[in-house]
Structures are given as structure tokens and as C-alpha cells.
Amino acid sequence: MPKLISPESHVSETVVSEDPLALGARLRTETHDQHRSTESRTFIVRLMKGELSLADYTRYLAQMAWVYEALESRTPSESDFAIYDVRLNRLAEIESDLVALGAADWRSSHPALPSTQRYADRLRELVATDSPRYVAHHYTRYLGDLSGGQAISRLVARHYAATDEQLAFYRFDGIENHVHFKREYREQLDALPLSEEESAAVVEEALAAFEFNGALFDELQTPAVAA
């Protein structure tokens, strides 16, 4: 199944030889089990198989709007890490999609679920403290959008007849070559000026990111089952 939040979805793009102690390698290997557990949650499996509806996808996307609003609440500064590229920002695209999906009023019609609120609260906490742990969420979300997100876009279009106007979330018009961008991102990730302790904290936070997403998928499944 395409990876909603995993940045490593195409074998041809995987680095053949890398330092196992580098941050990117650690993120991939040490979050592997949690990643597999998260992507196997019932809601997301059913959504990607075409067993739900465009309305269910809309519910999911509206919850992502709350997440990305928190993720992108950070004020850029001249001392930012190179990976904090504004071309990755997704909130405007998500809101455009929600308008096209008939959910322009997403704030009132799709309030943040408890799991979403916990996720967003954690992101805002990291933004407020400018913690290196923010890197973990930046990595898991945006590289997931650039990788598995592209296949997800095709599946949502195929299964639920979503239009291009409803799938802007997955289009990065400012990034011409996704493969090259992701390669540079990983290089920049490994070059971040983080201490060993900070790098370990980023890996720990990446595990938490998968847990937040898994809890959100589980909560989204409840009304889907009832329907």
C-alpha cells in the first residue's frame, strides 16, 4: 500500500550505500516497525483499496488541515535548517482541495478529533520551543507527501473520481524534480548540526509521529464502520 506518512516508498530512490549512523538511515531503520503498524490501520487500508468514499477521504483531509496548520505555524528565520523549504508547505493546497470537495467550512463541519488535537498540540509545542524534534515531523510528513502521496493521489482519483482540483495537496508545483529534491533533502538532513543526543531525540519523536497518525486513523475508522 502507498505510504501516507513514510518518505521511503520507491526502491529505485533508496540510497544504496549510506552511513548507518546518519540521521536519515536511523530514521528509516529505527521507525520501521512503527511505520508498518501505522500504515496497516483499517481506515487507511480500506480507503486506499477503494472500499470507502470520497466523503471519507474528505474527513481525512480535513483532519490533515488541522495538522498542517500546526506544522506550518512556525515563523521562518534566517537561521533555519535548509530542509525548512517553504515550497513544501501544504495548508493552502489542502484548503483549496476542501473547497473543491464541498468542505470550505472544514473548521466547523470537521472539527479536530481528539487524536488530531493531541497531534496538533504536540506540533505547536515543538514550534513554540523551536525544538530539534520538529525535524521528525517535518521529515515524516513532507517526504511522505512527495513519495507515497503521489500514488495516493492516483488511487483517490481512480477509486473515488476525485478531480485535479480536489488533489492539489499532492502537487508541488514549485519543485520540478521530486527525486532530486528528496535526495538533496536527505543530504541536508544528514548534515544538520545536531548533537548525538539531539539526533536520538529526533528519532524518538519520529516514532511518536507515527503513533499520532495511527491514533488518528483509528479514530477516523469509527464512523466509517458505523456507516
Side-chain angles (χ1 to χ4, degrees):
M1 187 189 78
K3 282 69 172 174
L4 273 167
I5 52 176
S6 168
E8 307 304 331
S9 62
H10 300 291
V11 174
S12 63
E13 297 173 15
T14 302
V15 178
V16 176
S17 179
E18 61 184 355
D19 181 357
L21 298 180
L23 183 55
R26 293 187 61 191
L27 283 167
R28 282 188 288 279
T29 58
E30 296 182 37
T31 65
H32 179 271
D33 291 345
Q34 187 65 42
H35 161 219
R36 295 300 179 217
S37 173
T38 300
E39 72 174 4
S40 64
R41 303 302 172 96
T42 301
F43 174 82
I44 209 63
V45 170
R46 292 184 65 201
L47 186 68
M48 292 301 99
K49 285 184 175 180
E51 296 176 357
L52 299 180
S53 67
L54 191 60
D56 289 309
Y57 174 74
T58 302
R59 290 193 300 115
Y60 159 75
L61 190 63
Q63 296 307 307
M64 287 296 99
W66 294 106
V67 170
Y68 279 83
E69 182 178 58
L71 183 67
E72 295 172 7
S73 65
R74 185 180 182 280
T75 302
S77 72
E78 293 182 358
S79 61
D80 276 352
F81 294 147
I83 61 171
Y84 297 165
D85 191 322
V86 296
R87 291 178 295 172
L88 293 170
N89 289 355
R90 296 290 89 198
L91 181 58
E93 285 73 17
I94 293 173
E95 290 190 301
S96 174
D97 287 352
L98 289 170
V99 169
L101 288 162
D105 61 343
W106 62 273
R107 293 182 186 277
S108 57
S109 61
H110 296 281
L113 297 170
S115 56
T116 305
Q117 192 62 59
R118 289 190 292 271
Y119 192 176
D121 286 347
R122 178 56 174 168
L123 291 170
R124 291 187 185 281
E125 176 187 353
L126 297 178
V127 166
T129 59
D130 203 20
S131 170
R133 287 174 177 263
Y134 174 85
V135 169
H137 296 278
H138 193 278
Y139 167 83
T140 56
R141 287 252 56 100
Y142 292 123
L143 256 65
D145 298 335
L146 280 165
S147 297
Q150 306 308 301
I152 290 163
S153 177
R154 291 191 292 271
L155 287 173
V156 173
R158 180 193 308 166
H159 293 317
Y160 309 117
T163 66
D164 288 345
E165 291 74 19
Q166 296 169 331
L167 295 169
F169 178 22
Y170 305 104
R171 291 197 300 273
F172 291 80
D173 295 333
I175 299 175
E176 183 175 351
N177 189 308
H178 290 192
V179 174
H180 291 171
F181 183 91
K182 287 184 290 183
R183 183 180 300 122
E184 291 177 357
Y185 183 104
R186 296 182 188 112
E187 292 173 354
Q188 293 166 351
L189 183 70
D190 290 340
L192 292 180
L194 301 177
S195 67
E196 183 176 345
E197 182 179 2
E198 288 172 330
S199 294
V202 170
V203 175
E204 181 181 56
E205 191 66 30
L207 290 168
F210 284 110
E211 291 174 359
F212 281 123
N213 280 277
L216 174 53
F217 295 157
D218 288 345
E219 194 164 5
L220 282 168
Q221 173 61 16
T222 302
V225 170

